[in-house]
Amino acid sequence: MKKVGFFKSIHFKFVVVYILLILIAMQVIGVLFMDRQEQKLRENFTKNIDENADMIEVNVEEELENILTQSDKEAPQERLSSLLQDFSFTFSDIDKMMVVNLDQQIIAADDEDLVGKKSTQNLISQALLGHSTNDIFQIEDGDQLVRTYVVSKPVRSAQNGQLLGALYLEASIEDIYGLSRTLNEILANATIIALAITALLGIVLASTITRPLADMQKQAQVMARGDFTRKVKVYDKDEIGQLAASFNDLTKKLQEANEITESERTKLRSVLSYMTDGVIATDRDGFIILMNDRSEEMLSMSRHEAMGRYLPEVLGIEKDFSIDKLEESSNSLILDYSSHEVPFILRASFSVIQKDDGPVNGIITVLHDVTEQEQIERERREFVSNVSHELRTPLTTMRSYLEALEEGAMQDENLAPKFLSVTQQETERMIRLVTDLLQLSKMDNKDFRPNFQKVNLRELMLQVIDRFEMSKSDQITFEKHISDKPLPVRIDRDKITQVLDNIISNALKYSPDGGKVTFHLNKDGKSVHISIKDEGVGIPKQNLSKIFDRFYRVDKARSREIGGTGLGLAIAKEVVIAHNGQIWAESEYGKGTTIHVKLPTHQTREASA
């Protein structure tokens, strides 16, 4: 995460706001205080001047009456000038005092140079007309204007109210404004000092707030990397301290939740890894985002190759199905990936990832290997078809001959015995077929157990060979390579006898005239090895692995001609497997076939049970 700049940080903003608040408060208070203070000072000053003017007026009024009543006016004028001089010393705030008679002549003043001169000021003229004036004016004092409080008022006789003259006073008020300026400077300095102190306090206070926040920010960054061990320091028990404590509690719960999630993820990963079914997950657009190991094996494609690819394309169904059709489809699909050598069939089931009444977020595809089931189903259908065909053929033959006998062939001494013989042969053929089917059915039953007993396999095999040797054609010879030593084994005598009968019968059936059947029996470690070889036409390589399948014949026409059911080697295989043995075939087309059987000398406890 990018580091926040100083001027964008909460620390800076907090200090600035704090300083601005103090500055605004100081300015508002200063303006209101100074305005009120200046107004108060001005009112006190003017009130004082007005009171002094009233006092001076009383004294001036007496002297003006004396001037008007006495013939000698020099003495009262001197006293009046002396009086004003005394007042100028007494009232130092007053800068200028003049007394003017009715002729606008200055008869007394604190400045002797003005006495005897005629005043032309408008305010004095208004005073002589009986109008009083007291106001602040800007008056020139040299080359600058000075704010001055001027009082101009008429002087009347106390006895009859006769207008005697006018009194004119000037008092500079600049000292009041100077005092206001000084107070403003003091307030400004105080404001600067207060702002400096406020800034320091703001920095300290901001640190107490931003330091826990910065610590929580670091904790959040550490948590984002998956580390939940770090804790935020709780500096105090205030709201921020409570926030830090809550943050630590949240961290603990997130750690627990993450551990649970990781545990569940591990379990899910293990389940997906060891599932016998393939699992593929896509996003909402149908592109693969998850794939387990079994899916890789089934599709022969690594997850790195499949990630981000379109699901129908990976499954090879993009021509017939889009992702929308798969979302709407409730049926599973059968995917046939079989080759000429190896059958491989999958069933794909699709499940939509969707919240209640929400949009589709993806699809889960489960791939199940149904090759064995499909093969079993196919074999079942083939088995039913083969059984039906094998039973229908002799039945059809018997029906034809019986109908012929019924229609009059019975009366023919030459045909009747032949027809009855054929009917008897077909009946025996059906009996053999049903017997073999019942035996296979019993062996398919899980409760089937061979009747193990100790048998000398050398003696048993010689007995079976001798029996076939007595009934075989003289044009076929037997060659025996049998061990001279007894070979004791634990087997089911009757079942192994049947295995040998089936193998030898096949060898005799497919051996040509003048052919030879070779027998081998010897001990091979903890097993005994039997091999029976004929010199027949052999089996093509592509058919060799199928000769132990039920009803399988390499040459079906020839097999039916010689009376086989196609179940002999299948029964032999089931018996050998029940003995924990092995059976296989070797053949070279045109030169003959060898059937090998290996049986253990001792059975396991489970097999014996």
Side-chain angles (χ1 to χ4, degrees):
M1 182 181 293
K2 187 177 179 181
K3 186 177 180 181
V4 178
F6 174 74
F7 295 104
K8 293 183 179 180
S9 64
I10 294 178
H11 193 286
F12 176 75
K13 293 177 182 178
F14 186 88
V15 173
V16 169
V17 170
Y18 196 53
I19 290 174
L20 288 176
L21 288 174
I22 297 299
L23 180 61
I24 292 171
M26 292 290 290
Q27 289 299 315
V28 171
I29 293 172
V31 169
L32 293 175
F33 172 77
M34 292 308 300
D35 183 70
R36 183 65 179 169
Q37 182 68 20
E38 184 177 316
Q39 182 180 358
K40 191 66 177 177
L41 289 173
R42 190 166 57 246
E43 288 177 355
N44 291 337
F45 182 81
T46 56
K47 182 180 180 182
N48 184 47
I49 297 298
D50 291 340
E51 290 176 352
N52 292 338
D54 292 340
M55 185 181 297
I56 295 172
E57 181 189 1
V58 171
N59 291 279
V60 168
E61 180 263 335
E62 182 180 353
E63 294 299 333
L64 285 177
E65 284 187 349
N66 292 332
I67 292 173
L68 291 176
T69 56
Q70 295 180 10
S71 58
D72 186 8
K73 298 180 181 180
E74 294 293 331
Q77 287 182 355
E78 290 178 0
R79 288 196 303 272
L80 186 58
S81 297
S82 177
L83 181 63
L84 292 180
Q85 291 290 335
D86 293 338
F87 281 140
S88 66
F89 286 107
T90 303
F91 305 122
S92 59
D93 292 338
I94 299 175
D95 298 327
K96 188 175 183 180
M97 290 182 288
M98 291 188 302
V99 178
V100 182
N101 59 16
L102 297 176
D103 297 328
Q104 292 189 348
Q105 184 179 9
I106 300 173
I107 59 175
D110 57 351
D111 185 0
E112 294 182 356
D113 294 336
L114 297 176
V115 176
K117 294 182 179 179
K118 192 170 184 178
S119 174
T120 59
Q121 292 188 17
N122 187 34
L123 294 178
I124 294 177
S125 300
Q126 291 181 3
L128 293 175
L129 293 175
H131 301 291
S132 297
T133 302
N134 53 346
D135 203 351
I136 298 174
F137 297 94
Q138 288 187 341
I139 298 175
E140 292 185 4
D141 183 11
D143 56 352
Q144 62 180 358
L145 295 176
V146 178
R147 281 169 290 191
T148 304
Y149 183 67
V150 177
V151 177
S152 175
K153 58 190 305 184
V155 179
R156 298 179 182 275
S157 173
Q159 297 178 0
N160 53 22
Q162 180 184 358
L163 184 63
L164 302 176
L167 176 64
Y168 178 83
L169 301 176
E170 290 181 4
S172 175
I173 202 171
E174 283 296 331
D175 292 341
I176 300 298
Y177 291 101
L179 179 60
S180 296
R181 287 193 297 272
T182 302
L183 291 176
N184 279 329
E185 292 176 358
I186 293 173
L187 182 61
N189 293 331
T191 300
I192 293 173
I193 295 172
L195 289 176
I197 295 173
T198 301
L200 293 176
L201 292 176
I203 292 172
V204 174
L205 182 60
S207 297
T208 60
I209 297 175
T210 56
R211 182 170 52 181
L213 293 177
D215 198 10
M216 282 185 273
Q217 181 191 13
K218 292 179 181 178
Q219 173 67 6
Q221 293 174 347
V222 172
M223 288 169 58
R225 294 194 294 269
D227 184 5
F228 297 96
T229 57
R230 187 179 182 273
K231 299 296 181 183
V232 177
K233 183 178 180 181
V234 180
Y235 293 93
D236 207 342
K237 295 183 179 180
D238 55 6
E239 289 83 351
I240 296 179
Q242 292 177 353
L243 177 61
S246 300
F247 202 88
N248 288 335
D249 185 54
L250 174 63
T251 302
K252 182 179 179 181
K253 291 181 178 179
L254 283 175
Q255 183 178 8
E256 294 173 355
N258 185 67
E259 290 174 353
I260 294 173
T261 303
E262 189 61 33
S263 175
E264 294 299 325
R265 185 183 291 112
T266 303
K267 292 178 182 177
L268 179 60
R269 189 183 299 114
S270 299
V271 170
L272 291 175
S273 297
Y274 293 102
M275 280 182 66
T276 56
D277 292 340
V279 177
I280 302 174
T282 70
D283 58 15
R284 65 182 62 188
D285 297 321
F287 295 100
I288 296 175
I289 58 175
L290 183 143
M291 189 175 185
N292 69 346
D293 297 341
R294 182 58 178 153
S295 297
E296 296 185 61
E297 297 174 4
M298 288 180 168
L299 300 177
S300 300
M301 180 184 298
S302 69
R303 58 169 54 91
H304 299 293
E305 295 174 339
M307 287 299 176
R309 292 181 61 182
Y310 196 47
L311 177 63
E313 178 189 350
V314 172
L315 297 180
I317 56 174
E318 68 275 11
K319 293 182 179 179
D320 301 320
F321 293 91
S322 65
I323 197 67
D324 296 329
K325 287 186 178 180
L326 293 180
E327 290 174 2
E328 297 171 359
S329 176
S330 58
N331 299 324
S332 58
L333 299 178
I334 298 298
L335 308 175
D336 192 350
Y337 298 126
S338 302
S339 62
H340 294 292
E341 296 81 11
V342 181
F344 188 48
I345 302 172
L346 299 179
R347 177 185 289 111
S349 302
F350 304 96
S351 176
V352 175
I353 306 172
Q354 182 179 20
K355 293 183 179 179
D356 296 340
D357 300 328
V360 174
N361 294 323
I363 289 181
I364 295 292
T365 304
V366 179
L367 302 177
H368 183 63
D369 187 354
V370 293
T371 305
E372 185 176 354
Q373 292 92 318
E374 290 294 320
Q375 284 183 320
I376 291 173
E377 181 63 22
R378 184 163 50 248
E379 289 173 358
R380 184 190 66 79
R381 291 193 297 268
E382 290 179 358
F383 178 77
V384 173
S385 176
N386 288 330
V387 170
S388 301
H389 185 272
E390 293 294 336
L391 289 174
R392 186 171 60 248
T393 300
L395 286 173
T396 302
T397 304
M398 291 170 61
R399 179 181 177 181
S400 300
Y401 280 96
L402 289 174
E403 287 178 350
L405 289 171
E406 185 180 9
E407 291 174 356
M410 180 69 72
Q411 307 301 325
D412 191 332
E413 295 180 356
N414 294 324
L415 292 177
K418 293 181 180 179
F419 283 10
L420 289 174
S421 176
V422 171
T423 303
Q424 184 179 2
Q425 291 175 4
E426 293 299 326
T427 302
E428 291 175 355
R429 178 180 172 187
M430 283 195 300
I431 292 172
R432 288 197 305 272
L433 176 62
V434 172
T435 301
D436 289 344
L437 287 174
L438 289 174
Q439 185 173 359
L440 281 172
S441 177
K442 290 180 181 179
M443 298 182 71
D444 286 339
N445 193 340
K446 294 182 179 179
D447 295 331
F448 171 73
R449 292 287 184 272
N451 182 21
F452 289 109
Q453 54 184 306
K454 192 172 183 180
V455 177
N456 184 354
L457 187 59
R458 176 181 180 278
E459 180 182 340
L460 175 63
M461 188 166 179
L462 288 174
Q463 291 176 0
V464 174
I465 294 173
D466 290 342
R467 178 160 43 83
F468 276 96
E469 195 168 15
M470 292 177 62
S471 59
K472 71 178 178 60
S473 171
D474 293 336
Q475 296 178 352
I476 298 176
T477 60
F478 281 2
E479 182 179 326
K480 293 176 281 187
H481 301 277
I482 307 297
S483 174
D484 296 333
K485 298 179 181 179
L487 295 174
V489 292
R490 290 186 60 80
I491 58 173
D492 186 324
R493 183 185 184 93
D494 293 337
K495 300 300 180 185
I496 296 300
T497 300
Q498 186 179 10
V499 170
L500 295 174
D501 284 348
N502 290 342
I503 297 173
I504 296 173
S505 295
N506 283 341
L508 292 176
K509 288 175 185 177
Y510 294 102
S511 292
D513 292 340
K516 179 176 64 176
V517 178
T518 306
F519 301 91
H520 286 83
L521 173 63
N522 61 335
K523 188 173 183 181
D524 185 6
K526 294 183 179 180
S527 302
V528 288
H529 186 191
I530 303 170
S531 67
I532 301 173
K533 180 182 179 182
D534 62 52
E535 294 181 350
V537 295
I539 302 171
K541 186 176 181 180
Q542 63 271 20
N543 303 115
L544 193 60
S545 61
K546 300 178 182 179
I547 64 172
F548 295 101
D549 295 345
R550 300 176 185 187
F551 293 108
Y552 184 80
R553 298 183 182 91
V554 178
D555 187 348
K556 296 183 180 180
R558 186 164 182 265
S559 296
R560 290 196 182 96
E561 183 181 344
I562 61 178
T565 63
L567 297 175
L569 289 180
I571 293 173
K573 177 183 177 182
E574 297 295 336
V575 171
V576 171
I577 291 175
H579 281 73
N580 297 318
Q582 300 175 11
I583 184 169
W584 72 95
E586 294 178 352
S587 181
E588 187 176 351
Y589 191 66
K591 294 185 178 181
T593 302
T594 304
I595 304 296
H596 297 272
V597 176
K598 264 193 173 185
L599 296 172
T601 56
H602 295 84
Q603 297 297 329
T604 61
R605 291 185 179 181
E606 290 78 4
S608 299

